[in-house]
Amino acid sequence: METVFTEFLLSDDDSDNDCDSESTVIFGAVLQTFLQRESRVRIDNYISDVVAQFTAVEFRRIYRISVDCFQHLCQLLSTCPEMSVRSPQFGGRGRISLEKTVLIALRYLGHQENVRIISNIFDVADSSVIVSRDRTDLYDGPRVLLKKNDVVRKFREKRGFPGIVGCIDGTHIHIKPPTEHPQSYVNRKSFHSVILQAVCLQDMKISNCFAGFPGSVHDSRVLRQSDLWDEANMACGQNHILGDGAYPIKTWLMTPYRNTGNLTQIQKRYNAAHSATRSIIERVFAMLKGRFRRLRYIEVQQIKTVNEIIITCCVLHNISILDGDAALDMMDDDEEDNIQQNAVNNLQGPDQQGILKRDQIAANLQ
C-alpha cells in the first residue's frame, strides 16, 4: 500500500477541443507515413516545432497543468539524481532531457492514450515512455503544510460546522485485473479497482492520501490500516475530520447520525451541515480524475506501480492548486466516486467520547 482522434489524437471525449496545431502536425505525420508505407508514425522535433508554439490555453488542454506549473514541476525535479542527463562520454544514447521527460509523463497521466501513441508523438521508444513516467514519480514529493487555524476557520465559514481540519472519503480507481488474487480487487460495481483514501482541505488540496487496498475492501478497514488511524488523534487535537457513514465515529472523526426514521430536528440540522461541508472531497475526486484521466483506468500489471501513479497524480493536483490552477473546468461530471457501503459507525463498539462530542456539536449548530 502507498501513502502520499481516433487513435492518433486524444482518446478522451473532449479531444476535439484540444490543440488544432498539434492535430495538424500529427495528421500530417500519419499521412506521410501512409504514403511512405512505413511501419510507425513518428513526429520529428515535436517539442520545438509544436509544443513551443502552444498558447498557454493549448498547453494546459494537452498537458493538464499550466505552463507555470510545468516550469515549477521541472524545477522541483531538477535536483533528483534520476533526472540528470547522461554525459556522452559514457557512450550510448543520451538520456532524455528533463523537460521532455516531464512532458511525456504528463501526457501519460493526463490521457488514456496508449504507450505506442505517446512514443510516436515524442519520437522515443515505447520503453522510454514507461521510464519517463517512473522517473517523474512524486511519491516523495512536496507535502501540504497544514495551517490548522486557517483551515478550521475557512471550513466553518461554509456551513458553521466547527473544528474541521479535513474531509475524508475513498474512491475506486479502475485497474487492469492483477495476476495475483484478481477476484479480491472486484468491487461492488463488479470492476477491478484499488481504493484511494484521501483527506482534503477547504481549498481542495489533498492533505493525506493512501492508496492500494483492493476494491472489495470496506472504507473503514482501509482507514484502520492506514497511517492516519494511528496519527489522527494527535494530529487533530481538539479538532476533527468529517467522514461519511462508512466510517466509525471517533473524537477525531465526525460522522453523520444514522437515519432510521426517528432523527430529531437537531440531528437533521447536523446531518445537513455535515453533508454540505463534506461534499468537497467528492469534488476533489472529480477534479483529480478529470485532470489526470489515466486514473479512469490504469492498465499496468504491478499494483505497486498503480499506487505510485495514483500518489503522483495527487501530488501534481496539489502543486497545480498551489500554482493557482484549481482545474474547476476539468471536473469529471460523470465520475461515480462513491460505491455505497453499509454504515459501520458501531463497528467494534461505539466510541462514547466521539458520540458525546457529536451531540455537543449538533446542539450548538445554528
Side-chain angles (χ1 to χ4, degrees):
M1 309 309 157
E2 305 292 350
T3 273
V4 264
F5 180 45
T6 65
E7 188 147 0
F8 278 109
L9 284 182
L10 304 180
S11 59
D12 304 285
D13 295 338
D14 59 353
S15 60
D16 291 340
N17 295 325
D18 288 326
C19 179
D20 291 339
S21 59
E22 182 190 48
S23 303
T24 301
V25 172
I26 295 178
F27 180 76
V30 173
L31 180 61
Q32 182 181 17
T33 299
F34 175 77
L35 293 175
Q36 295 177 354
R37 299 180 183 277
E38 294 180 355
S39 59
R40 293 192 64 176
V41 179
R42 290 191 181 276
I43 302 174
D44 295 331
N45 304 316
Y46 169 71
I47 295 178
S48 59
D49 293 351
V50 181
V51 177
Q53 305 304 315
F54 283 169
T55 66
V57 173
E58 290 169 341
F59 183 92
R60 184 172 176 273
R61 284 175 178 168
I62 297 294
Y63 291 100
R64 317 305 288 168
I65 64 175
S66 68
V67 174
D68 289 343
C69 184
F70 169 72
Q71 294 171 345
H72 182 194
L73 180 60
C74 288
Q75 183 180 16
L76 287 172
L77 293 170
S78 64
T79 58
C80 298
E82 297 83 0
M83 287 294 183
S84 61
V85 178
R86 184 181 294 110
S87 171
Q89 68 181 359
F90 295 107
R93 188 172 182 176
R95 177 171 283 178
I96 298 173
S97 69
L98 184 151
E99 290 77 11
K100 188 172 184 177
T101 296
V102 175
L103 286 173
I104 291 172
L106 290 173
R107 186 96 188 201
Y108 177 89
L109 297 173
H111 303 282
Q112 279 290 318
E113 296 167 320
N114 63 43
V115 169
R116 173 59 59 90
I117 292 175
I118 299 173
S119 67
N120 288 343
I121 290 172
F122 286 93
D123 191 18
V124 296
D126 291 357
S127 59
S128 295
V129 176
I130 303 303
V131 170
S132 295
R133 178 201 69 196
D134 294 344
R135 287 173 67 197
T136 317
D137 173 20
L138 291 171
Y139 174 71
D140 293 321
R143 302 302 180 188
V144 173
L145 297 178
L146 181 62
K147 296 181 179 179
K148 194 176 297 184
N149 291 336
D150 289 344
V151 173
V152 169
R153 176 177 55 80
K154 291 177 180 178
F155 265 122
R156 187 163 191 166
E157 288 173 354
K158 183 173 182 178
R159 285 296 299 266
F161 206 112
I164 303 171
V165 292
C167 297
I168 188 172
D169 204 356
T171 187
H172 290 257
I173 307 296
H174 194 174
I175 64 169
K176 178 181 179 180
T179 54
E180 295 186 9
H181 312 293
Q183 194 58 34
S184 66
Y185 288 85
V186 178
N187 60 39
R188 287 173 173 258
K189 289 197 174 179
S190 301
F191 63 85
H192 293 82
S193 68
V194 297
I195 298 172
L196 165 62
Q197 174 187 279
V199 178
C200 76
L201 305 179
Q202 82 292 339
D203 59 3
M204 305 188 83
K205 290 196 292 289
I206 295 172
S207 60
N208 181 279
C209 53
F210 178 71
F213 261 81
S216 62
V217 178
H218 198 285
D219 280 354
S220 63
R221 183 183 170 197
V222 175
L223 173 60
R224 291 174 187 275
Q225 296 299 317
S226 69
D227 293 339
L228 183 63
W229 182 258
D230 296 322
E231 299 171 358
N233 190 43
M234 180 174 295
C236 289
Q238 298 300 311
N239 300 304
H240 41 264
I241 298 167
L242 296 192
D244 65 17
Y247 296 107
I249 188 166
K250 306 289 288 184
T251 55
W252 55 267
L253 178 56
M254 291 290 102
T255 60
Y257 289 98
R258 187 173 184 180
N259 189 356
T260 58
N262 60 348
L263 294 182
T264 66
Q265 288 302 313
I266 288 177
Q267 291 170 334
K268 289 178 181 179
R269 185 168 61 239
Y270 168 95
N271 278 3
H274 183 288
S275 177
T277 307
R278 195 198 62 83
S279 63
I280 191 172
I281 184 62
E282 296 168 4
R283 297 199 299 279
V284 168
F285 287 143
M287 181 187 298
L288 183 69
K289 294 182 181 180
R291 188 196 291 269
F292 301 110
R293 296 166 180 165
R294 185 64 57 179
L295 296 182
R296 295 178 179 177
Y297 179 64
I298 302 179
E299 191 176 4
V300 301
Q301 200 66 50
Q302 299 296 321
I303 294 299
K304 180 178 183 295
T305 304
V306 170
N307 299 340
E308 290 171 350
I309 290 172
I310 294 170
I311 300 301
T312 293
C313 288
C314 290
V315 176
L316 286 171
H317 167 89
N318 283 348
I319 294 173
S320 296
I321 293 177
L322 287 168
D323 285 336
D325 181 10
L328 295 175
D329 58 320
M330 295 182 183
M331 293 180 70
D332 191 345
D333 294 333
D334 296 328
E335 177 56 36
E336 296 182 1
D337 284 308
N338 293 319
I339 295 180
Q340 296 299 321
Q341 302 180 357
N342 295 327
V344 293
N345 290 8
N346 294 324
L347 192 66
Q348 296 185 359
D351 185 316
Q352 295 298 333
Q353 292 300 314
I355 291 174
L356 177 61
K357 182 178 181 180
R358 180 174 62 184
D359 290 341
Q360 291 172 339
I361 292 173
N364 291 323
L365 277 176
Q366 300 299 320

